[in-house]
Amino acid sequence: MSKNPIGIFDSGIGGLTIAHAIKIKLPNESLIYFGDTKHLPYGEKSEQAIKDYSLKIADFLKNNNCKAIIIACNSASSAAYYHIKKNINSIPIYNVIDPIVSFISKKYFNKKIGVIGTKATIQSGVYKRKLSEKETTLEIASLETPLLAPMIEEGFFNQEISSTIIKNYLNDKKLDKIDALVLACTHYPLIQNEIKSFYNKIDVIDASEIVAEHIKKELSKLKLLNQANNPKFNFIISNFTESFSKSANIFFKENISLEEKDIWKSN
Ligand code: DGL
């Protein structure tokens, strides 16, 4: 058992969808959330830049006594997971991709799986590679959808303009006849309903719950879960704006206050 917090980070506030799922699944756990709003979008950055930012944040979380770190961002999970693991081996590090890969490879056989995400995630080819390794009968169709994360962050969802952009992407030939679609970006749970209403009856796979369930199992195996019931929450972003503050409440599904800390300045 450990009362220390779980560290969670993302390029911005999208990872709050994962943080919220963790809070529901593991209500006794304290959380430190870090959103790197100073450097987002990660989806448009080079692999090296994402590695550098992510390792700095992971170090910050480790130095703040986190007992585990969750990379709640697909772009950072695809570019920086192994880099962080190589550099920090005193606490467990989790990404948001492996739990999804494991879920899909157990559930689907001989099917076509669509994956949508940022440029960084899709161009890394990580879903295609990991899914094909685990289940060779799957056909993977990946599509970059770079407008979606900024659109959601600006509050455009469940309205005509967002539906038009979403439809435009989902009509891409690459995604023809898919059996399931992976929302490979932690922003996308907010447009899940719009995506579901585009399709008749394919599975739309949202990572949040699957990741939270995976973390629960893993921390339980390592005997790292907290039994006491007095969790504390810290929400930190590297650059504060009113707009992030407003959107954060929507992503976390409750009112939270964000503290600004530029961990790059202190060095
Ligand atoms: N939340 C990030 C992800 O899951 C996307 C946002 C960004 O590009 O920074 O990939």
Side-chain angles (χ1 to χ4, degrees):
M1 166 179 153
S2 164
K3 286 186 175 163
N4 288 6
I6 299 173
I8 304 179
F9 80 88
D10 175 44
S11 58
I13 50 178
L16 287 168
T17 55
I18 303 282
H20 178 258
I22 299 280
K23 185 185 172 222
I24 301 293
K25 193 75 68 186
L26 297 167
N28 295 339
E29 298 300 325
S30 294
L31 307 178
I32 300 181
Y33 181 88
F34 190 97
D36 191 10
T37 50
K38 185 177 178 178
H39 297 120
L40 67 76
Y42 279 13
E44 302 290 315
K45 300 286 186 306
S46 69
E47 186 183 327
Q48 192 56 51
I50 301 174
K51 279 182 178 167
D52 294 345
Y53 296 145
S54 300
L55 184 57
K56 177 85 180 166
I57 300 166
D59 268 328
F60 167 80
L61 293 171
K62 187 195 77 180
N63 295 337
N64 278 275
N65 297 322
C66 288
K67 61 184 173 187
I69 294 174
I70 305 169
I71 310 172
C73 172
N74 281 268
S75 310
S77 291
S78 51
Y81 170 61
Y82 294 105
H83 183 61
I84 296 173
K85 264 177 88 78
K86 202 171 84 189
N87 285 280
I88 299 179
N89 47 31
S90 51
I91 52 172
I93 314 288
Y94 301 105
N95 66 66
V96 284
I97 297 170
D98 288 333
I100 300 298
V101 167
S102 150
F103 172 85
I104 291 174
S105 59
K106 280 181 200 144
K107 183 166 177 192
Y108 300 96
F109 176 79
N110 244 333
K111 299 280 185 205
K112 181 172 176 184
I113 312 290
V115 182
I116 54 171
T118 66
K119 284 184 191 164
T121 300
I122 299 304
Q123 287 176 10
S124 76
V126 63
Y127 276 93
K128 205 177 176 91
R129 192 174 62 250
K130 289 193 170 192
L131 280 167
S132 315
E133 270 166 26
K134 282 223 166 201
E135 178 51 65
T136 50
T137 66
L138 297 177
E139 180 188 347
I140 315 299
S142 315
L143 183 74
E144 294 170 14
T145 49
L147 278 182
L148 297 184
M151 173 190 91
I152 297 164
E153 220 150 79
E154 283 301 318
F156 290 104
F157 46 88
N158 296 328
Q159 47 181 283
E160 215 179 304
I161 190 164
S162 52
S163 289
T164 307
I165 295 174
I166 292 166
K167 265 190 215 149
N168 215 284
Y169 278 133
L170 300 182
N171 271 321
D172 194 293
K173 276 211 161 349
K174 276 188 192 163
L175 299 179
D176 268 1
K177 299 202 173 72
I178 51 171
D179 299 289
L181 181 70
V182 182
L183 306 185
C185 174
T186 51
H187 281 68
Y188 299 175
L190 273 80
I191 51 167
Q192 207 181 145
N193 289 339
E194 285 172 273
I195 293 180
K196 279 182 180 157
S197 67
F198 175 86
Y199 291 106
N200 270 336
K201 50 176 184 11
I202 73 154
D203 300 337
V204 176
I205 301 165
D206 163 19
S208 334
E209 267 200 37
I210 297 169
V211 171
E213 186 59 43
H214 175 80
I215 300 295
K216 184 178 177 180
K217 269 193 204 141
E218 292 300 309
L219 293 185
S220 162
K221 265 193 236 160
L222 297 171
K223 304 213 172 354
L224 280 178
L225 289 177
N226 188 10
Q227 308 303 334
N229 190 7
N230 54 352
K232 293 188 183 65
F233 301 97
N234 282 296
F235 298 97
I236 305 165
I237 53 174
S238 50
N239 186 245
F240 184 90
T241 66
E242 275 307 323
S243 145
F244 284 133
S245 174
K246 261 200 207 152
S247 305
N249 299 332
I250 299 169
F251 279 85
F252 198 65
K253 295 188 184 158
E254 59 186 85
N255 284 355
I256 55 176
S257 42
L258 302 175
E259 176 196 334
E260 184 183 70
K261 191 170 182 60
D262 184 347
I263 58 174
W264 281 268
K265 240 186 204 164
S266 49
N267 268 357

